Amino acid sequence: MNWTDERVEKLKKLWSEGLSASQIAAQLGGVSRNAVIGKVHRLNLPGRGKAGGTQAAARPKRPAPATPRPSNFAARPVTTRAVARPAGNTIPKEEIDFETQAEQLPVPANGNNVVVPMSRRLELTQLTERTCKWPIGDPLNDDFHFCGNESPDNSPYCTYHQRLAYQPSAERRRMR
DNA sequence: CCCTGATTCGC
DNA sequence: GCGAATCAGG
């Protein structure tokens, strides 16, 4: 597809709004994210400094053409060190007042321990073949998003939303 | 593996 | 000028 003036304008606009190259490519259509990035560079648009999700600056221009290795020298064993990390926590502030918790979760105690998974809050343009496409929220609202959790094989939904989507007759009868 | 942007280079 | 391949990083 050609880079018409309109498309270039849209590119500039979306890029300035901070959308990622792949998102822009998805909106423009007919181009890859590489094409978008290439065009951005050719237009001399400001790249993404440290914000959003890119670094890769100050790289050596050359990937080192060919290593002139002395034949009497064996390849040096690269020593990689594993550093112990502080281990980030994912503690969801459990400050629940036990006297106030009249009703915790509406989970039916009929045997299945179904837990509503946390969604990844993906936007439409970020969905891939492996992401759950279960819509959450009002499409007219600006907090509309998709589940985005991993879906098995080629299924459009994750294992949780699969059940909601297809509701096996046997399971449906047991409900409520 | 998913994603991000950056760079190179044959076309 | 274009963008796939590749690279580097989260």
Side-chain angles (χ1 to χ4, degrees):
Chain A
M1 222 158 180
N2 284 347
W3 281 109
T4 63
D5 288 5
E6 292 185 21
R7 292 166 63 79
V8 172
E9 275 190 51
K10 193 168 185 178
L11 166 61
K12 288 180 180 177
K13 179 194 172 193
L14 296 176
W15 184 258
S16 65
E17 288 176 356
L19 293 188
S20 70
S22 62
Q23 287 176 315
I24 295 174
Q27 290 207 17
L28 290 175
V31 286
S32 65
R33 72 176 196 94
N34 278 321
V36 170
I37 293 174
K39 188 60 178 174
V40 164
H41 279 233
R42 252 171 271 124
L43 290 172
N44 290 315
L45 294 180
R48 270 69 187 275
K50 287 92 183 175
T54 184
Q55 282 70 27
R59 275 176 46 213
K61 297 271 183 174
R62 283 294 180 100
T67 307
R69 41 184 85 273
S71 55
N72 58 349
F73 232 96
R76 127 177 85 90
V78 177
T79 310
T80 309
R81 172 174 325 198
V83 180
R85 313 185 64 188
N89 284 334
T90 318
I91 300 178
K93 353 168 179 171
E94 291 286 340
E95 294 293 328
I96 300 178
D97 185 9
F98 286 96
E99 293 178 344
T100 318
Q101 57 169 358
E103 42 187 45
Q104 260 286 38
L105 291 176
V107 174
N110 55 3
N112 43 4
N113 298 326
V114 178
V115 176
V116 178
M118 179 183 61
S119 81
R120 296 173 61 193
R121 299 190 65 98
L122 294 187
E123 298 170 34
L124 177 59
T125 53
Q126 302 180 293
L127 294 176
T128 71
E129 298 299 324
R130 294 187 179 84
T131 56
C132 178
K133 297 166 187 61
W134 186 272
I136 299 175
D138 192 333
L140 298 180
N141 230 63
D142 55 348
D143 69 332
F144 176 72
H145 60 281
F146 291 88
C147 168
N149 284 316
E150 184 175 353
S151 55
D153 199 42
N154 292 320
S155 171
Y157 303 120
C158 66
T159 53
Y160 172 73
H161 287 125
Q162 235 168 15
R163 296 179 185 176
L164 296 184
Y166 299 119
Q167 290 271 0
S169 57
E171 191 172 321
R172 189 187 297 180
R173 292 202 200 98
R174 278 197 160 272
M175 279 204 65
R176 215 27 54 159

mmCIF file of all heavy atoms in Angstrom, chain A residues 58-95:
data_model
loop_
_atom_site.group_PDB
_atom_site.id
_atom_site.type_symbol
_atom_site.label_atom_id
_atom_site.label_comp_id
_atom_site.label_asym_id
_atom_site.label_seq_id
_atom_site.Cartn_x
_atom_site.Cartn_y
_atom_site.Cartn_z
ATOM 1 N N ALA A 58 21.846 3.787 21.787
ATOM 2 C CA ALA A 58 23.277 3.660 22.024
ATOM 3 C C ALA A 58 23.766 2.242 21.766
ATOM 4 O O ALA A 58 24.539 1.689 22.509
ATOM 5 C CB ALA A 58 23.612 4.079 23.455
ATOM 6 N N ARG A 59 23.223 1.689 20.694
ATOM 7 C CA ARG A 59 23.727 0.374 20.308
ATOM 8 C C ARG A 59 24.893 0.553 19.362
ATOM 9 O O ARG A 59 24.962 1.558 18.654
ATOM 10 C CB ARG A 59 22.631 -0.402 19.572
ATOM 11 C CG ARG A 59 21.692 -1.142 20.475
ATOM 12 C CD ARG A 59 20.625 -1.778 19.623
ATOM 13 N NE ARG A 59 21.209 -2.441 18.452
ATOM 14 C CZ ARG A 59 20.594 -2.524 17.280
ATOM 15 N NH1 ARG A 59 19.450 -1.983 17.112
ATOM 16 N NH2 ARG A 59 21.173 -3.148 16.278
ATOM 17 N N PRO A 60 25.774 -0.378 19.329
ATOM 18 C CA PRO A 60 26.840 -0.321 18.328
ATOM 19 C C PRO A 60 26.251 -0.422 16.936
ATOM 20 O O PRO A 60 25.388 -1.255 16.681
ATOM 21 C CB PRO A 60 27.701 -1.549 18.646
ATOM 22 C CG PRO A 60 26.848 -2.416 19.520
ATOM 23 C CD PRO A 60 25.920 -1.496 20.231
ATOM 24 N N LYS A 61 26.647 0.453 16.046
ATOM 25 C CA LYS A 61 26.073 0.490 14.703
ATOM 26 C C LYS A 61 26.278 -0.840 13.991
ATOM 27 O O LYS A 61 25.399 -1.357 13.328
ATOM 28 C CB LYS A 61 26.732 1.610 13.892
ATOM 29 C CG LYS A 61 26.482 2.988 14.464
ATOM 30 C CD LYS A 61 25.208 3.596 13.886
ATOM 31 C CE LYS A 61 25.032 5.009 14.416
ATOM 32 N NZ LYS A 61 23.899 5.678 13.777
ATOM 33 N N ARG A 62 27.438 -1.343 14.146
ATOM 34 C CA ARG A 62 27.747 -2.580 13.442
ATOM 35 C C ARG A 62 27.574 -3.795 14.350
ATOM 36 O O ARG A 62 27.985 -3.785 15.488
ATOM 37 C CB ARG A 62 29.194 -2.543 12.929
ATOM 38 C CG ARG A 62 29.375 -1.681 11.698
ATOM 39 C CD ARG A 62 28.611 -2.319 10.553
ATOM 40 N NE ARG A 62 28.758 -1.515 9.345
ATOM 41 C CZ ARG A 62 29.613 -1.831 8.372
ATOM 42 N NH1 ARG A 62 30.401 -2.880 8.524
ATOM 43 N NH2 ARG A 62 29.677 -1.095 7.295
ATOM 44 N N PRO A 63 26.956 -4.831 13.818
ATOM 45 C CA PRO A 63 26.804 -6.077 14.559
ATOM 46 C C PRO A 63 28.114 -6.852 14.635
ATOM 47 O O PRO A 63 28.107 -8.017 14.939
ATOM 48 C CB PRO A 63 25.776 -6.851 13.713
ATOM 49 C CG PRO A 63 25.241 -5.878 12.737
ATOM 50 C CD PRO A 63 26.282 -4.834 12.555
ATOM 51 N N ALA A 64 29.203 -6.224 14.346
ATOM 52 C CA ALA A 64 30.499 -6.899 14.266
ATOM 53 C C ALA A 64 30.514 -7.915 13.135
ATOM 54 O O ALA A 64 29.989 -9.002 13.257
ATOM 55 C CB ALA A 64 30.835 -7.583 15.596
ATOM 56 N N PRO A 65 31.089 -7.538 12.018
ATOM 57 C CA PRO A 65 31.029 -8.296 10.767
ATOM 58 C C PRO A 65 31.466 -9.743 10.920
ATOM 59 O O PRO A 65 30.674 -10.649 10.780
ATOM 60 C CB PRO A 65 31.999 -7.546 9.850
ATOM 61 C CG PRO A 65 32.566 -6.423 10.627
ATOM 62 C CD PRO A 65 31.959 -6.379 11.978
ATOM 63 N N ALA A 66 32.695 -9.926 11.203
ATOM 64 C CA ALA A 66 33.185 -11.287 11.378
ATOM 65 C C ALA A 66 34.338 -11.258 12.362
ATOM 66 O O ALA A 66 35.217 -10.427 12.264
ATOM 67 C CB ALA A 66 33.638 -11.870 10.037
ATOM 68 N N THR A 67 34.268 -12.151 13.289
ATOM 69 C CA THR A 67 35.292 -12.149 14.328
ATOM 70 C C THR A 67 36.573 -12.814 13.821
ATOM 71 O O THR A 67 36.555 -13.988 13.467
ATOM 72 C CB THR A 67 34.801 -12.922 15.559
ATOM 73 O OG1 THR A 67 33.540 -12.393 15.952
ATOM 74 C CG2 THR A 67 35.782 -12.775 16.696
ATOM 75 N N PRO A 68 37.623 -12.053 13.788
ATOM 76 C CA PRO A 68 38.918 -12.613 13.380
ATOM 77 C C PRO A 68 39.485 -13.472 14.497
ATOM 78 O O PRO A 68 40.249 -12.993 15.321
ATOM 79 C CB PRO A 68 39.763 -11.362 13.151
ATOM 80 C CG PRO A 68 39.139 -10.326 14.039
ATOM 81 C CD PRO A 68 37.681 -10.646 14.125
ATOM 82 N N ARG A 69 39.042 -14.702 14.508
ATOM 83 C CA ARG A 69 39.477 -15.504 15.654
ATOM 84 C C ARG A 69 40.773 -16.221 15.389
ATOM 85 O O ARG A 69 40.931 -16.931 14.394
ATOM 86 C CB ARG A 69 38.395 -16.514 16.015
ATOM 87 C CG ARG A 69 37.739 -17.175 14.823
ATOM 88 C CD ARG A 69 36.622 -18.068 15.265
ATOM 89 N NE ARG A 69 35.356 -17.382 15.462
ATOM 90 C CZ ARG A 69 35.009 -16.795 16.603
ATOM 91 N NH1 ARG A 69 35.813 -16.804 17.633
ATOM 92 N NH2 ARG A 69 33.847 -16.202 16.726
ATOM 93 N N PRO A 70 41.701 -15.997 16.272
ATOM 94 C CA PRO A 70 42.952 -16.731 16.182
ATOM 95 C C PRO A 70 42.690 -18.224 16.327
ATOM 96 O O PRO A 70 41.989 -18.638 17.244
ATOM 97 C CB PRO A 70 43.757 -16.226 17.388
ATOM 98 C CG PRO A 70 42.942 -15.170 18.032
ATOM 99 C CD PRO A 70 41.617 -15.069 17.377
ATOM 100 N N SER A 71 43.220 -18.967 15.437
ATOM 101 C CA SER A 71 42.883 -20.388 15.435
ATOM 102 C C SER A 71 43.441 -21.105 16.666
ATOM 103 O O SER A 71 42.951 -22.158 17.043
ATOM 104 C CB SER A 71 43.442 -21.050 14.173
ATOM 105 O OG SER A 71 44.831 -20.798 14.083
ATOM 106 N N ASN A 72 44.407 -20.486 17.289
ATOM 107 C CA ASN A 72 44.954 -21.152 18.465
ATOM 108 C C ASN A 72 44.203 -20.788 19.747
ATOM 109 O O ASN A 72 44.619 -21.110 20.824
ATOM 110 C CB ASN A 72 46.435 -20.793 18.627
ATOM 111 C CG ASN A 72 46.596 -19.286 18.734
ATOM 112 O OD1 ASN A 72 45.647 -18.546 18.490
ATOM 113 N ND2 ASN A 72 47.782 -18.836 19.086
ATOM 114 N N PHE A 73 43.096 -20.066 19.551
ATOM 115 C CA PHE A 73 42.325 -19.645 20.713
ATOM 116 C C PHE A 73 40.918 -20.219 20.672
ATOM 117 O O PHE A 73 40.186 -19.981 19.717
ATOM 118 C CB PHE A 73 42.248 -18.115 20.760
ATOM 119 C CG PHE A 73 42.661 -17.561 22.088
ATOM 120 C CD1 PHE A 73 43.969 -17.118 22.289
ATOM 121 C CD2 PHE A 73 41.750 -17.522 23.132
ATOM 122 C CE1 PHE A 73 44.346 -16.611 23.510
ATOM 123 C CE2 PHE A 73 42.139 -17.009 24.354
ATOM 124 C CZ PHE A 73 43.446 -16.552 24.553
ATOM 125 N N ALA A 74 40.559 -20.952 21.645
ATOM 126 C CA ALA A 74 39.211 -21.520 21.684
ATOM 127 C C ALA A 74 38.213 -20.440 22.043
ATOM 128 O O ALA A 74 38.558 -19.423 22.613
ATOM 129 C CB ALA A 74 39.155 -22.656 22.712
ATOM 130 N N ALA A 75 36.988 -20.662 21.662
ATOM 131 C CA ALA A 75 35.934 -19.710 21.986
ATOM 132 C C ALA A 75 35.843 -19.566 23.500
ATOM 133 O O ALA A 75 35.747 -20.540 24.228
ATOM 134 C CB ALA A 75 34.600 -20.199 21.418
ATOM 135 N N ARG A 76 35.883 -18.328 23.899
ATOM 136 C CA ARG A 76 35.902 -18.094 25.350
ATOM 137 C C ARG A 76 34.542 -18.350 25.960
ATOM 138 O O ARG A 76 33.529 -17.875 25.457
ATOM 139 C CB ARG A 76 36.360 -16.651 25.577
ATOM 140 C CG ARG A 76 35.457 -15.830 26.436
ATOM 141 C CD ARG A 76 36.073 -14.470 26.622
ATOM 142 N NE ARG A 76 35.746 -13.571 25.516
ATOM 143 C CZ ARG A 76 34.652 -12.790 25.537
ATOM 144 N NH1 ARG A 76 33.825 -12.837 26.538
ATOM 145 N NH2 ARG A 76 34.417 -11.976 24.537
ATOM 146 N N PRO A 77 34.507 -19.123 26.998
ATOM 147 C CA PRO A 77 33.244 -19.442 27.664
ATOM 148 C C PRO A 77 32.638 -18.203 28.317
ATOM 149 O O PRO A 77 33.254 -17.599 29.174
ATOM 150 C CB PRO A 77 33.645 -20.460 28.734
ATOM 151 C CG PRO A 77 35.093 -20.219 28.976
ATOM 152 C CD PRO A 77 35.658 -19.744 27.655
ATOM 153 N N VAL A 78 31.479 -17.877 27.882
ATOM 154 C CA VAL A 78 30.822 -16.703 28.428
ATOM 155 C C VAL A 78 30.285 -17.001 29.817
ATOM 156 O O VAL A 78 29.564 -17.962 30.025
ATOM 157 C CB VAL A 78 29.649 -16.268 27.523
ATOM 158 C CG1 VAL A 78 28.919 -15.089 28.136
ATOM 159 C CG2 VAL A 78 30.179 -15.930 26.148
ATOM 160 N N THR A 79 30.670 -16.196 30.729
ATOM 161 C CA THR A 79 30.239 -16.422 32.103
ATOM 162 C C THR A 79 29.056 -15.536 32.439
ATOM 163 O O THR A 79 29.179 -14.339 32.588
ATOM 164 C CB THR A 79 31.378 -16.109 33.081
ATOM 165 O OG1 THR A 79 32.546 -16.790 32.652
ATOM 166 C CG2 THR A 79 30.996 -16.554 34.472
ATOM 167 N N THR A 80 27.929 -16.156 32.517
ATOM 168 C CA THR A 80 26.729 -15.415 32.873
ATOM 169 C C THR A 80 26.422 -15.616 34.339
ATOM 170 O O THR A 80 26.410 -16.721 34.843
ATOM 171 C CB THR A 80 25.528 -15.897 32.046
ATOM 172 O OG1 THR A 80 25.891 -15.903 30.671
ATOM 173 C CG2 THR A 80 24.339 -14.990 32.266
ATOM 174 N N ARG A 81 26.173 -14.532 34.985
ATOM 175 C CA ARG A 81 25.884 -14.662 36.406
ATOM 176 C C ARG A 81 24.419 -14.442 36.712
ATOM 177 O O ARG A 81 23.814 -13.497 36.255
ATOM 178 C CB ARG A 81 26.703 -13.636 37.184
ATOM 179 C CG ARG A 81 26.255 -13.661 38.615
ATOM 180 C CD ARG A 81 27.018 -12.848 39.546
ATOM 181 N NE ARG A 81 28.447 -12.727 39.315
ATOM 182 C CZ ARG A 81 29.201 -12.321 40.324
ATOM 183 N NH1 ARG A 81 28.668 -12.102 41.478
ATOM 184 N NH2 ARG A 81 30.472 -12.153 40.126
ATOM 185 N N ALA A 82 23.877 -15.333 37.472
ATOM 186 C CA ALA A 82 22.491 -15.185 37.894
ATOM 187 C C ALA A 82 22.447 -14.427 39.213
ATOM 188 O O ALA A 82 22.999 -14.863 40.213
ATOM 189 C CB ALA A 82 21.841 -16.551 38.063
ATOM 190 N N VAL A 83 21.812 -13.291 39.186
ATOM 191 C CA VAL A 83 21.743 -12.476 40.390
ATOM 192 C C VAL A 83 20.432 -12.700 41.115
ATOM 193 O O VAL A 83 19.370 -12.689 40.502
ATOM 194 C CB VAL A 83 21.883 -10.979 40.030
ATOM 195 C CG1 VAL A 83 21.807 -10.128 41.286
ATOM 196 C CG2 VAL A 83 23.187 -10.747 39.289
ATOM 197 N N ALA A 84 20.530 -12.917 42.377
ATOM 198 C CA ALA A 84 19.321 -13.113 43.175
ATOM 199 C C ALA A 84 18.522 -11.822 43.213
ATOM 200 O O ALA A 84 19.051 -10.761 43.475
ATOM 201 C CB ALA A 84 19.685 -13.533 44.591
ATOM 202 N N ARG A 85 17.242 -11.951 42.922
ATOM 203 C CA ARG A 85 16.397 -10.771 42.867
ATOM 204 C C ARG A 85 15.564 -10.635 44.127
ATOM 205 O O ARG A 85 15.272 -11.617 44.788
ATOM 206 C CB ARG A 85 15.472 -10.843 41.651
ATOM 207 C CG ARG A 85 16.208 -11.245 40.392
ATOM 208 C CD ARG A 85 15.286 -11.193 39.228
ATOM 209 N NE ARG A 85 14.820 -9.830 38.986
ATOM 210 C CZ ARG A 85 13.870 -9.551 38.112
ATOM 211 N NH1 ARG A 85 13.303 -10.502 37.461
ATOM 212 N NH2 ARG A 85 13.512 -8.318 37.916
ATOM 213 N N PRO A 86 15.194 -9.436 44.410
ATOM 214 C CA PRO A 86 14.335 -9.163 45.578
ATOM 215 C C PRO A 86 12.959 -9.793 45.451
ATOM 216 O O PRO A 86 12.215 -9.807 46.397
ATOM 217 C CB PRO A 86 14.209 -7.631 45.569
ATOM 218 C CG PRO A 86 15.371 -7.167 44.765
ATOM 219 C CD PRO A 86 15.639 -8.227 43.745
ATOM 220 N N ALA A 87 12.664 -10.312 44.294
ATOM 221 C CA ALA A 87 11.374 -10.969 44.077
ATOM 222 C C ALA A 87 10.182 -10.048 44.313
ATOM 223 O O ALA A 87 9.779 -9.816 45.429
ATOM 224 C CB ALA A 87 11.237 -12.210 44.957
ATOM 225 N N GLY A 88 9.677 -9.541 43.219
ATOM 226 C CA GLY A 88 8.549 -8.617 43.330
ATOM 227 C C GLY A 88 7.306 -9.297 43.877
ATOM 228 O O GLY A 88 7.009 -10.422 43.557
ATOM 229 N N ASN A 89 6.588 -8.609 44.680
ATOM 230 C CA ASN A 89 5.386 -9.178 45.273
ATOM 231 C C ASN A 89 4.132 -8.783 44.512
ATOM 232 O O ASN A 89 4.093 -7.768 43.867
ATOM 233 C CB ASN A 89 5.235 -8.708 46.715
ATOM 234 C CG ASN A 89 6.191 -9.441 47.616
ATOM 235 O OD1 ASN A 89 6.602 -10.556 47.327
ATOM 236 N ND2 ASN A 89 6.574 -8.791 48.693
ATOM 237 N N THR A 90 3.173 -9.621 44.604
ATOM 238 C CA THR A 90 1.892 -9.321 43.978
ATOM 239 C C THR A 90 0.798 -9.416 45.021
ATOM 240 O O THR A 90 -0.234 -10.004 44.828
ATOM 241 C CB THR A 90 1.600 -10.304 42.836
ATOM 242 O OG1 THR A 90 2.797 -10.491 42.124
ATOM 243 C CG2 THR A 90 0.530 -9.751 41.929
ATOM 244 N N ILE A 91 1.094 -8.865 46.154
ATOM 245 C CA ILE A 91 0.133 -8.963 47.252
ATOM 246 C C ILE A 91 -1.001 -7.965 47.059
ATOM 247 O O ILE A 91 -0.793 -6.772 47.029
ATOM 248 C CB ILE A 91 0.811 -8.689 48.608
ATOM 249 C CG1 ILE A 91 1.909 -9.726 48.831
ATOM 250 C CG2 ILE A 91 -0.208 -8.751 49.725
ATOM 251 C CD1 ILE A 91 2.672 -9.514 50.104
ATOM 252 N N PRO A 92 -2.190 -8.485 46.887
ATOM 253 C CA PRO A 92 -3.380 -7.636 46.664
ATOM 254 C C PRO A 92 -3.978 -7.144 47.966
ATOM 255 O O PRO A 92 -4.963 -7.655 48.403
ATOM 256 C CB PRO A 92 -4.336 -8.593 45.973
ATOM 257 C CG PRO A 92 -3.960 -9.942 46.515
ATOM 258 C CD PRO A 92 -2.516 -9.891 46.856
ATOM 259 N N LYS A 93 -3.412 -6.193 48.528
ATOM 260 C CA LYS A 93 -3.846 -5.618 49.805
ATOM 261 C C LYS A 93 -5.064 -6.268 50.457
ATOM 262 O O LYS A 93 -6.185 -5.909 50.197
ATOM 263 C CB LYS A 93 -4.181 -4.120 49.622
ATOM 264 C CG LYS A 93 -3.835 -3.606 48.268
ATOM 265 C CD LYS A 93 -4.451 -2.252 48.054
ATOM 266 C CE LYS A 93 -4.051 -1.736 46.669
ATOM 267 N NZ LYS A 93 -4.771 -0.549 46.314
ATOM 268 N N GLU A 94 -4.804 -7.239 51.232
ATOM 269 C CA GLU A 94 -5.902 -7.925 51.897
ATOM 270 C C GLU A 94 -6.206 -7.258 53.224
ATOM 271 O O GLU A 94 -5.872 -7.740 54.289
ATOM 272 C CB GLU A 94 -5.532 -9.401 52.117
ATOM 273 C CG GLU A 94 -5.462 -10.178 50.830
ATOM 274 C CD GLU A 94 -6.851 -10.453 50.282
ATOM 275 O OE1 GLU A 94 -7.816 -10.373 51.065
ATOM 276 O OE2 GLU A 94 -6.972 -10.752 49.110
ATOM 277 N N GLU A 95 -6.851 -6.147 53.143
ATOM 278 C CA GLU A 95 -7.194 -5.409 54.361
ATOM 279 C C GLU A 95 -8.690 -5.494 54.629
ATOM 280 O O GLU A 95 -9.336 -4.545 55.029
ATOM 281 C CB GLU A 95 -6.781 -3.947 54.219
ATOM 282 C CG GLU A 95 -5.292 -3.766 54.137
ATOM 283 C CD GLU A 95 -4.615 -4.148 55.443
ATOM 284 O OE1 GLU A 95 -5.230 -3.953 56.510
ATOM 285 O OE2 GLU A 95 -3.495 -4.635 55.384
#
